[in-house]
Amino acid sequence: MIDIVRRMTPARARAHPHALLFVLLMASLPLIALLSPIDHDETQYLAAAELVAGGMSPFRDFLYLQTPYQLYVLAPLFGDPEWHGLLAARLFSGLMGAGVIALVYGALREGGVARHHAMMAAGAIWFCHAFLFGVTLVRNDALPALLLAFAFFVAMGAVDPAQPGRRYKWLLAGLAIGAATGTKISYAVMAGAFAAFPLLAAIFGVMGKRRAVATTLVTSAGVVLALVPMLWIRETAPTAFDYGNFHYHAEAPFLWYEANGRAHRLTLGMKAIDGLLTLVRGPALLALVLYTLLRLRSLKAREAQIPALLLTDLAILAGLVATLAPTPIHRQYAIPLLPPLFVGLGLAWARDRGAFVDKHWLKPAVGLFLAIGLVQPVYNLGGAALDKPTPTVVAEEGRALAALLGAEGIEGEVATLSPETVVGSGLALDPMFATGPFAYRTGDMIDAADRDAVGFVSPSTITDYLEESRPAAIVTGYEASHTVDRIGLEVPIEGFAREAGYRRVESGIGGATFWLRPAD
């Protein structure tokens, strides 16, 4: 990837304006990440990374609701008190987003696509709403997308049957996809696509059967090797691991949306609308249509299929499954689709772009969808920052709370459904709140024995827990403003704080309210 970026030198960029724009698109992502408002989806990733930095293990010491690899990548950013973990993690996320674009460009160049067209296809990812959302927040989206893009970069250098002896690259691709699955479980379908590709290539006669079987075995071995550490992590707390990775996602979204008066989001009709809105905000839908038309034209003409496009065919199908299968559909679910889609479009366009030479609607359509893709960054850097907390605001609130507790000599952990206000401040977060509002809000809707076995609090048990733990401080104020909350998740927490004599202090910086433990 370093070599890919090195090719875009300032002198070369000045000579080619499109190259300069391409570099600027990548360079803008860390800046947008630092300035974009906080999203409450970030809470669980930030909290968990800081707890791991403090020596704790996911599932054994605190509940986590995702596959855990990302925590070990982010944890070093939270280990140095001179760095504010939230700001460092946001910057790192933006850099990984830039890496995705660079690797997609590199994959296209490996596939023989001309420099200009490779930059156009790779740069178009920047304008996809799902991508920009995922890589400018601290979620488990940027890292697996980077690993997937790396897998394509490696695969494009190994996919040509005329160049044997590249099996180590398929092992690398398998390791990357396995690591992506260990970061976000939806990438398991992508692992299946990579493993199945050689068999499809053999069916189309572009790869020998023996080589196809060997390539599948090597790729699958890479996936399995990358997932072996997950077995060890699960062994430390199997009940919590299974709940966080499987049971929670199978039931909690349905329970929450129904209890919160939003059951309409679970219908097939809304899934169709959400899926369409996810792809139409930016060039993803147009890219999917163009790619499909180009591939159907190629198949109808009975053209010899090239292995690289067979790989992107499978990967795009896997990306559509990852996007559309969950209920409800959220925008970030489309991110696994984007690297293979734009790699595939670049390859197919380079091979048969003459198919659209006489289509006068194409340029206006491209311009329209690119303009739509600009809405989110403009909103994030403009109006959204006026009424939503940014990372710098939240970081300042955390420092203010730490100063208050230090001045009054109050020691202990902090309880909050908004852990982003605590991470990086030097204060200790109560691990029971590691998932932010997510496990908590549906805790009363599952069997109490299951909840107790996993170990987390719910609205009905929070008061007893706080009476026993007596946190040094409680932070409220953000959860209701982050999302629709008809239940009042913070109501019992604030009720305990008042009854227990906690002193209320408005932060005066953002929307947080601090509750300070009274002297014993």
Side-chain angles (χ1 to χ4, degrees):
M1 190 175 81
I2 293 174
D3 182 62
I4 296 168
V5 177
R6 184 165 53 81
R7 296 171 192 169
M8 295 289 101
T9 61
R12 188 184 295 273
R14 285 194 296 271
H16 302 281
H18 55 267
L20 176 60
L21 176 60
F22 183 68
V23 172
L24 289 175
L25 287 176
M26 290 191 291
S28 70
L29 289 174
L31 177 63
I32 296 173
L34 288 174
L35 298 178
S36 293
I38 293 289
D39 187 278
H40 84 148
D41 276 8
E42 297 180 271
T43 57
Q44 59 179 310
Y45 306 101
L46 293 164
E50 179 155 285
L51 292 172
V52 169
M56 293 188 181
S57 296
F59 309 110
R60 185 192 70 189
D61 299 319
F62 61 89
L63 180 61
Y64 188 55
L65 302 177
Q66 305 288 340
T67 44
Y69 286 178
Q70 174 168 287
L71 303 183
Y72 298 96
V73 176
L74 291 183
L77 302 177
F78 293 82
D80 188 343
E82 295 299 318
W83 282 72
H84 192 285
L86 169 56
L87 299 178
R90 277 288 191 98
L91 178 63
F92 185 56
S93 185
L95 289 172
M96 287 192 288
V100 172
I101 294 176
L103 284 167
V104 168
Y105 168 81
L108 287 165
R109 294 293 289 140
E110 285 285 320
V113 177
R115 182 179 292 111
H116 176 62
H117 291 121
M119 282 190 288
M120 289 178 62
I125 297 177
W126 188 97
F127 294 87
C128 295
H129 179 80
F131 175 78
L132 207 59
F133 173 79
V135 305
T136 56
L137 301 177
V138 184
R139 293 181 38 83
N140 63 339
D141 292 316
L143 178 57
L146 182 69
L147 291 165
L148 175 60
F150 174 75
F152 269 99
F153 175 63
V154 171
M156 288 300 113
V159 75
D160 186 354
Q163 300 183 24
R166 303 287 183 91
R167 286 180 188 161
Y168 75 93
K169 289 194 171 185
W170 288 110
L171 180 65
L172 279 176
L175 286 168
I177 296 297
T181 304
T183 303
K184 187 162 189 170
I185 202 167
S186 63
Y187 282 76
V189 291
M190 201 62 67
F194 268 72
F197 152 71
L199 305 179
L200 181 65
I203 291 172
F204 275 87
V206 294
M207 185 180 288
K209 293 181 180 179
R210 293 182 64 180
R211 185 183 176 195
V213 171
T215 303
T216 291
L217 291 175
V218 169
T219 306
S220 301
V223 173
V224 171
L225 284 172
L227 291 174
V228 165
M230 288 256 288
L231 298 177
W232 176 79
I233 294 171
R234 181 186 181 276
E235 195 63 27
T236 63
T239 301
F241 182 95
D242 291 346
Y243 180 79
N245 283 284
F246 306 113
H247 304 315
Y248 173 84
H249 300 282
E251 60 184 5
F254 299 92
L255 295 173
W256 171 246
Y257 278 86
E258 289 171 357
N260 206 28
R262 305 177 71 195
H264 64 282
R265 289 290 309 278
L266 307 175
T267 63
L268 288 176
M270 278 306 301
K271 273 176 67 75
I273 292 172
D274 287 341
L276 179 62
L277 288 176
T278 295
L279 297 177
V280 80
R281 288 184 285 182
L285 182 62
L286 178 63
L288 185 61
V289 170
L290 292 175
Y291 180 82
T292 302
L293 292 175
L294 286 168
R295 296 298 290 135
L296 289 175
R297 174 187 170 96
S298 173
L299 292 170
K300 186 176 180 180
R302 298 184 179 277
E303 296 174 351
Q305 297 303 304
I306 62 173
L309 282 172
L310 294 177
L311 174 59
T312 57
D313 287 343
L314 283 176
I316 288 169
L317 286 174
L320 285 171
V321 170
T323 301
L324 303 175
T327 301
I329 293 172
H330 293 292
R331 49 192 163 182
Q332 63 270 18
Y333 295 165
I335 293 177
L337 169 67
L338 301 179
L341 175 58
F342 286 95
V343 169
L345 180 61
L347 292 170
W349 187 263
R351 192 182 189 210
D352 194 20
R353 60 180 177 271
F356 290 97
V357 168
D358 61 342
K359 305 298 183 184
H360 301 297
W361 53 266
L362 184 57
K363 284 187 177 180
V366 171
L368 173 63
F369 284 106
L370 292 180
I372 292 172
L374 285 172
V375 171
Q376 181 187 344
V378 171
Y379 176 71
N380 281 357
L381 301 181
L386 299 178
D387 57 6
K388 292 184 179 181
T390 62
T392 52
V393 168
V394 170
E396 190 176 349
E397 284 186 315
R399 287 190 286 264
L401 177 58
L404 272 174
L405 294 178
E408 301 195 14
I410 303 174
E411 297 181 349
E413 296 176 334
V414 179
T416 178
L417 297 181
S418 306
E420 70 272 16
T421 59
V422 179
V423 296
S425 67
L427 298 171
L429 174 70
D430 184 340
M432 193 64 75
F433 295 87
T435 66
F438 294 101
Y440 166 84
R441 67 190 187 184
T442 54
D444 289 332
M445 304 173 199
I446 66 173
D447 187 87
D450 293 338
R451 181 187 65 222
D452 295 340
V454 174
F456 62 95
V457 289
S458 66
S460 68
T461 64
I462 187 66
T463 300
D464 290 341
Y465 177 78
L466 293 174
E467 286 177 350
E468 181 181 349
S469 62
R470 298 284 294 177
I474 297 170
V475 181
T476 60
Y478 276 133
E479 186 50 36
S481 64
H482 275 316
T483 186
V484 176
D485 175 20
R486 298 179 183 176
I487 295 174
L489 297 177
E490 292 183 333
V491 170
I493 298 174
E494 292 184 335
F496 162 81
R498 293 191 194 92
E499 291 295 323
Y502 277 60
R503 181 161 63 91
R504 177 176 179 146
V505 178
E506 299 295 336
S507 81
I509 301 167
T513 299
F514 305 144
W515 302 84
L516 308 185
R517 187 178 65 207
D520 295 329

